[in-house]
Amino acid sequence: MIDKLEFFIALARQQHFGRAAEECGVTQPTLSAGIRQLEEQLGVMLVQRGSRFLGLTPEGQRVLEWARRIVGDTRTMREEMRAARRGLAGHIRLAVIPTALAMVQKLTEPFQARHPDVTFSVLSRTSLQVLSLLENLEIDAGITYLDNEPLGRVTSVPLYSERYHLITAVGAPLADRDSVSWSEVADLRLCLLTADMQNRRIINQHMTEAGVAPKPTLESNSMIVLFSHIRTGKWASVMPKNVAQSFGFGEEIRMIPITSPEAEHLVGLVATHREPFTPLVSGLLHEARLLSASNAFDRNLLSNDGSAVLTS
C-alpha cells in the first residue's frame, strides 16, 4: 500500500505516467498497475485517463491528501527507528529563497558539527515553490518570508529580519546620501529580482505605497547576476543589507538605508506541521531556535518556551 501511495503522489506531482515512473525508479507498466491496484483496493477511480494523464478525479484529490499524510508518517517512523539505532543521520533537503541563501550556512554548519552523519541539499526557489515542495514531500524544510504572504499550515521559526538598502556604486546618483526614499530609488536605473520572487513583490509594494512604480531595466532570478551589474556602476539595486554584506563589497560600493518608510520583513525556517516531526526535521527546528535566540529579534515572535510558531 505504501509503495502504491508513493506512486500516486509521484503521478500527481509529475502529471505524466512516464516521468512519475522514472522518479520512482520503476517501469511505466509497474507504476500504472500499482495505481490501478490502489483504485481497486479503495473502490474509486483516482485518475482521469485518456491517451495521456488528464488529471485527478475529485476522489483522487482527497486520496492525495491522505497519501501525503500516510507516506509522511511512514517516513517519520522509518527515520525515527533509524535514529534509534544509529543516532541522527540521513539527508535533509532544503529549499531557500534567493535572498536567504547567504545565511544558510549559519544553520547547516552548526547542525552538521553536532550531527556529522547528516548531509544537506540546498535548492534556490521562490517562496511559492518552497511551500509547494513542502506540500508534495519533495523537501524536508524551507527558508522563506514569514510575514508577507499566507504560508498555510506550517511550523515556522523566525531566523532574521530583512532591512532594505539601496546598493549602488560610488559616484552613482544618490551614492553620497546617508538615506534615500522609496520614491527616489524608483527613478534610478535598477536591476531587480524577477517578478515571481516575493522579494520583488515586497519592493513593488513599498514603491507603490510611495506613489511610484519600479521600472527595472534588468531582471534576474540570480543574486550573482544583480551584483555583477551593480559593480559596473551602471545599475543600482534594492537588497537586504545582510545579503549585500555577504558578498564582501569593498569601498567602491555603497549600501544606503531606504526610509520613508523603513521596511523590515521576517525570514524563517518552515516545515510541514506534523506530530511527531521526523528526527531530522525536529533537530533542524531546534537548531533554528538556537540561531533565532542568538539574533536580535522581537521575542514576541516566539512562544514562551521558545518553540516554533504555528501559522494557519
Side-chain angles (χ1 to χ4, degrees):
M1 173 67 79
I2 298 299
D3 289 343
K4 294 167 191 171
L5 293 175
E6 293 264 20
F7 291 171
F8 183 58
I9 292 172
L11 179 60
R13 179 163 54 239
Q14 296 291 347
Q15 299 187 10
H16 187 279
F17 281 94
R19 290 195 297 268
E22 184 178 354
E23 178 184 322
C24 294
V26 299
T27 64
Q28 184 171 329
T30 298
L31 182 132
S32 296
I35 299 294
R36 288 192 183 279
Q37 289 167 12
L38 183 61
E39 289 177 322
E40 291 170 4
Q41 287 177 292
L42 297 176
V44 294
M45 292 293 294
L46 303 177
V47 180
Q48 299 176 18
R49 293 178 178 84
S51 58
R52 55 187 175 83
F53 177 85
L54 298 177
L56 301 182
T57 65
E59 294 82 2
Q61 292 287 354
R62 184 65 182 133
V63 169
L64 179 60
E65 296 178 21
W66 279 103
R68 288 168 174 162
R69 189 182 310 174
I70 293 167
V71 169
D73 287 345
T74 301
R75 292 178 182 177
T76 299
M77 178 184 66
R78 288 171 177 164
E79 190 178 307
E80 192 168 311
M81 294 305 98
R82 185 169 60 245
R85 294 194 311 271
R86 301 188 303 167
L88 203 58
H91 189 73
I92 295 177
R93 302 160 299 170
L94 272 177
V96 183
I97 56 174
T99 59
L101 287 169
M103 63 72 54
V104 174
Q105 51 82 23
K106 293 184 178 180
L107 191 63
T108 56
E109 191 280 327
F111 185 90
Q112 204 165 56
R114 272 186 269 273
H115 309 289
D117 293 329
V118 174
T119 58
F120 285 89
S121 294
V122 180
L123 307 174
S124 176
R125 293 292 185 268
T126 68
S127 58
L128 293 177
Q129 289 172 333
V130 169
L131 297 179
S132 175
L133 290 169
L134 269 181
E135 183 180 37
N136 288 320
L137 306 179
E138 294 179 82
I139 58 172
D140 301 294
I143 296 178
T144 187
Y145 295 98
L146 301 185
D147 61 355
N148 191 57
E149 295 179 355
L151 294 174
R153 190 169 175 79
V154 299
T155 293
S156 62
V157 179
L159 295 175
Y160 67 94
S161 192
E162 283 190 346
R163 294 176 176 85
Y164 299 94
H165 283 57
L166 170 66
I167 312 300
T168 190
V170 170
L174 305 182
D176 59 344
R177 299 277 294 277
D178 293 326
S179 66
V180 293
S181 68
W182 286 99
S183 58
E184 289 173 318
V185 169
D187 291 330
L188 299 177
R189 188 184 189 195
L190 294 174
C191 57
L192 299 173
L193 286 173
T194 49
D196 60 331
M197 299 289 178
Q198 191 171 169
N199 171 268
R200 173 63 183 281
R201 295 196 291 275
I202 288 172
I203 291 170
N204 289 354
Q205 171 192 333
H206 289 300
M207 288 191 177
T208 299
E209 290 169 351
V212 294
K215 300 181 182 67
T217 61
L218 184 142
E219 297 176 321
S220 176
N221 62 0
S222 167
M223 299 300 294
I224 293 176
V225 170
L226 301 186
F227 282 121
S228 66
H229 282 78
I230 294 168
R231 285 188 182 278
T232 68
K234 305 296 184 181
W235 278 271
S237 190
V238 177
M239 296 181 183
K241 183 179 180 181
N242 59 300
V243 176
Q245 288 175 325
S246 71
F247 274 75
F249 279 141
E251 294 181 357
E252 76 279 9
I253 300 296
R254 288 215 62 208
M255 293 179 284
I256 305 166
I258 302 176
T259 58
S260 305
E262 185 173 330
E264 285 189 32
H265 289 276
L266 195 63
V267 175
L269 184 77
V270 293
T272 302
H273 183 64
R274 183 185 304 281
E275 291 293 346
F277 291 106
T278 69
L280 287 174
V281 171
S282 181
L284 190 65
L285 288 168
H286 175 70
E287 195 67 51
R289 293 181 190 113
L290 294 178
L291 177 59
S292 177
S294 69
N295 290 332
F297 281 114
D298 179 357
R299 299 310 179 197
N300 292 329
L301 291 168
L302 294 177
S303 59
N304 292 334
D305 62 355
S307 60
V309 175
L310 179 63
T311 307
S312 298

